[in-house]
Amino acid sequence: MSSTEIEGSPGTSMHGVTGREPVLAFSVASPMVPTDKTAHFDLPVDSEHKAKKFKLFSFANPHMRTFHLSWISFFTCFVSTFAAAPLVPIIRDNLNLTKGDIGNAGVASVSGSIFSRLVMGAVCDLLGPRYGCAFLVMMTAPTVFCMSFVSSAGGYVAVRFMIGFSLATFVSCQYWMSTMFNSQIIGLVNGTAAGWGNMGGGATQLLMPVLFEIIKSAGATPFTAWRIAFFIPGWLHIIMGLLVLTLGQDLPDGNLSTLQKKGEVAKDKFGKVLWYAVTNYRTWIFVLLYGYSMGVELSTDNVIAEYFYDRFDLKLHTAGIIAATFGMANLVARPFGGFASDYMARYFGMRGRLWTLWILQTMGGVFCILLGRATSLPVAIAHMIIFSIGAQAACGATFGVVPFISRRSLGIISGLTGAGGNFGSGLTQLLFFTNAKHSTGTGLSYMGIMIVACTLPVAAVHFPQWGSMFFPPSKGVVEENYYIKEYTEEEREKNMHLGNIKFAENCRSERGGNRVGSEATPPHA
């Protein structure tokens, strides 16, 4: 099958992308995937024009430019969503907030994007990730400005709920990476983009107290200074939205609407794409898993500064610095999780990815339990850091597996998984951090127990072509068998499955070790 045959084929994914739909990549060239030497890009690309290299400090167009626009947009949304958290000790005095109000606001901040993340996958398909990301970032800017005018507990909760819609940029971020990079090194590129975006949850713990102190030192009262500080993240939303619109590009070969007008990209039927996403049991296991990796990270972003401030009687700025290390660990932790997933896959295939995910997430849960029981500041900080690394690396490892669940329904599955993170966070905060009967430390310990328990279902994830944690692959099943099942005979006659065949060929490395190339492509594929 030639590369031109695949590139000219009809659309095969929910993202409205054909065989040229890129799937994901990393920083070293993949020797198993031939380079398309006829394509004119700044980075070497495969037959689908997906970059085969991930050059972190490059702005090569369109692949690396897209990477930087994507993660910085997501970073900006994290900053604004959790900007209130480090200022809670001041805001609660100004608005007379109770512990229940603070807890409800934390739940609200992550609940808003449950719906918006579900929608974002479809938006990326219909309009492209560029419009999806830019419109959401700019549409939520007014809600960030509104925080400056809040005067009651109800208003505070409502505004945090609306700002939280912006976290759906996570879905456009992961989707966009899947259209720009080769699938061989899926974990690292996804982990880096999402991890650096999540780092905004830590950066805001440093940024907002500093802005607060600067504004206060300029003559503003404390109750005015925190309000003025929110204008900074609001303007960041507007700036990033404009940059994404003017500099971004949906696909390596151009924007989605342009390619559709040329007939180079065909739209899939949304109903069918949705059906294959929701009827795949693996989707729902990863919704649960992400609810207790990313979900607990979001929950912790909301309570960790207050926890150290109250438990160890620290100054606001000091508590903010300590809390910032939790979120800032995303700089290396989430990319490490993706890298570990890729590394283990080289030797053990998909089974290595699944074991990596279970180990990292369980480790995070154990140290979350210990964090809640810590009685001294140094021990608490040490437990927090290890908990942070485990949870965030598990997020990276999760999206080292998610793109393999379904090629056709990748957008919706990514949206559902992302929404699972927010739902898990909202549920966790509702259960453990809104009840005055429980201290924040006790809530953290209970949350750790839930992490360990909810990670166990990863053992039930079985790919017939690759196996599971405890069981080998099904006999005689190869990648094409799994991915072609997403299309009916009628759709195959229209060649809508050709992109999936190409993707299946690029997934042989998930067999692990000496099984790569051990099975031939079935004749009927």
Side-chain angles (χ1 to χ4, degrees):
M1 185 181 301
S2 68
S3 63
T4 50
E5 181 182 38
I6 293 190
E7 288 176 10
S9 62
T12 55
S13 95
M14 158 199 161
H15 337 323
V17 185
T18 68
R20 24 180 31 131
E21 175 207 344
V23 180
L24 289 139
F26 168 50
S27 66
V28 289
S30 176
M32 297 182 64
V33 179
T35 299
D36 183 351
K37 296 182 180 179
T38 64
H40 301 288
F41 291 95
D42 294 336
L43 297 178
V45 297
D46 63 14
S47 62
E48 298 175 286
H49 296 170
K50 304 169 189 176
K52 294 171 57 183
K53 284 188 176 181
F54 177 56
K55 300 176 70 174
L56 189 58
F57 300 107
S58 165
F59 286 88
N61 191 34
H63 304 92
M64 292 312 302
R65 180 187 292 181
T66 295
F67 167 79
H68 290 296
L69 287 172
S70 186
W71 81 259
I72 295 174
S73 298
F74 188 34
F75 177 95
T76 299
C77 294
F78 246 88
V79 168
S80 58
T81 299
F82 295 101
L87 300 180
V88 159
I90 307 301
I91 297 173
R92 69 184 177 189
D93 292 339
N94 187 187
L95 302 180
N96 297 316
L97 303 179
T98 64
K99 182 178 177 63
D101 293 330
I102 296 170
N104 289 334
V107 173
S109 69
V110 297
S111 298
S113 64
I114 294 175
F115 173 75
S116 59
R117 286 187 173 194
L118 290 172
V119 172
M120 181 59 88
V123 171
C124 288
D125 178 39
L126 298 173
L127 301 177
R130 179 175 67 104
Y131 279 149
C133 177
F135 288 167
L136 183 60
V137 171
M138 289 194 289
M139 286 172 63
T140 50
T143 65
V144 183
F145 291 127
C146 282
M147 183 61 83
S148 301
F149 306 102
V150 166
S151 59
S152 66
Y156 175 70
V157 172
V159 171
R160 291 207 64 187
F161 174 78
M162 291 186 288
I163 296 174
F165 274 75
S166 66
L167 291 184
T169 47
F170 166 77
V171 177
S172 62
C173 171
Q174 300 292 271
Y175 178 102
W176 219 348
M177 295 305 93
S178 76
T179 64
M180 288 291 173
F181 293 90
N182 173 268
S183 62
Q184 291 293 319
I185 325 171
I186 236 167
L188 186 57
V189 78
N190 258 352
T192 304
W196 285 21
N198 288 353
M199 197 168 60
T204 198
Q205 303 279 355
L206 292 174
L207 175 65
M208 296 308 289
V210 169
L211 289 175
F212 171 77
E213 293 294 341
I214 291 174
I215 296 168
K216 192 173 71 168
S217 65
T221 65
F223 288 175
T224 301
W226 76 262
R227 297 174 183 275
I228 297 174
F230 273 88
F231 278 87
I232 305 302
W235 276 108
L236 287 177
H237 273 242
I238 294 174
I239 292 168
M240 283 312 304
L242 293 174
L243 287 176
V244 168
L245 275 180
T246 55
L247 300 178
Q249 182 174 309
D250 291 317
L251 304 169
D253 296 317
N255 286 317
L256 184 60
S257 59
T258 303
L259 295 175
Q260 287 175 338
K261 289 177 182 177
K262 292 180 179 179
E264 297 181 31
V265 171
K267 290 184 178 181
D268 206 337
K269 292 183 178 179
F270 177 75
K272 289 198 172 184
V273 176
L274 178 64
W275 172 256
Y276 284 112
V278 300
T279 56
N280 191 321
Y281 79 92
R282 300 168 192 83
T283 299
W284 301 107
I285 290 179
F286 276 87
V287 168
L288 174 64
L289 291 170
Y290 203 60
Y292 285 91
S293 57
M294 185 62 198
V296 298
E297 181 185 344
L298 296 176
S299 297
T300 307
D301 280 335
N302 269 325
V303 303
I304 195 67
E306 184 186 11
Y307 169 70
F308 278 100
Y309 179 84
D310 291 335
R311 181 151 187 165
F312 299 104
D313 197 25
L314 302 177
K315 292 182 179 179
L316 180 63
H317 183 62
T318 305
I321 292 175
I322 295 172
T325 61
F326 181 86
M328 294 298 287
N330 271 296
L331 179 66
V332 294
R334 186 157 182 160
F336 167 74
F339 171 78
S341 180
D342 292 336
Y343 183 82
M344 293 297 286
R346 292 178 204 167
Y347 297 97
F348 306 104
M350 178 57 66
R351 301 176 76 181
R353 290 189 188 272
L354 296 173
W355 273 104
T356 299
L357 172 56
W358 179 80
I359 291 170
L360 290 172
Q361 194 156 319
T362 300
M363 180 185 76
V366 169
F367 279 91
C368 181
I369 296 171
L370 296 176
L371 170 62
R373 298 173 64 85
T375 56
S376 69
L377 182 60
V379 171
I381 293 173
H383 288 163
M384 181 196 70
I385 291 173
I386 300 174
F387 160 44
S388 173
I389 292 171
Q392 292 162 12
C395 293
T398 296
F399 274 85
V401 178
V402 165
F404 294 102
I405 295 174
S406 168
R407 182 183 185 274
R408 188 176 191 179
S409 303
L410 175 60
I412 288 188
I413 291 174
S414 296
L416 286 168
T417 304
N422 289 78
F423 181 80
S425 176
L427 178 63
T428 301
Q429 290 184 72
L430 197 61
L431 291 176
F432 306 134
F433 300 110
T434 59
N435 193 332
K437 294 180 180 179
H438 299 312
S439 67
T440 305
T442 301
L444 286 168
S445 291
Y446 287 160
M447 183 170 71
I449 294 170
M450 207 157 181
I451 295 170
V452 174
C454 291
T455 305
L456 295 175
V458 73
V461 176
H462 181 87
F463 290 91
Q465 70 275 35
W466 299 317
S468 59
M469 285 176 63
F470 297 105
F471 297 99
S474 302
K475 190 174 182 180
V477 178
V478 293
E479 289 78 5
E480 285 81 358
N481 298 134
Y482 179 81
Y483 289 109
I484 292 175
K485 282 197 307 181
E486 297 183 328
Y487 293 91
T488 64
E489 288 292 340
E490 182 182 350
E491 289 171 328
R492 292 179 206 173
E493 289 176 2
K494 297 177 182 178
N495 289 332
M496 292 184 69
H497 69 300
L498 294 182
N500 273 34
I501 291 178
K502 184 64 177 178
F503 182 67
E505 291 171 354
N506 289 334
C507 291
R508 302 230 190 277
S509 59
E510 296 306 308
R511 298 174 180 180
N514 55 18
R515 282 196 68 238
V516 178
S518 62
E519 299 280 358
T521 301
H524 63 275

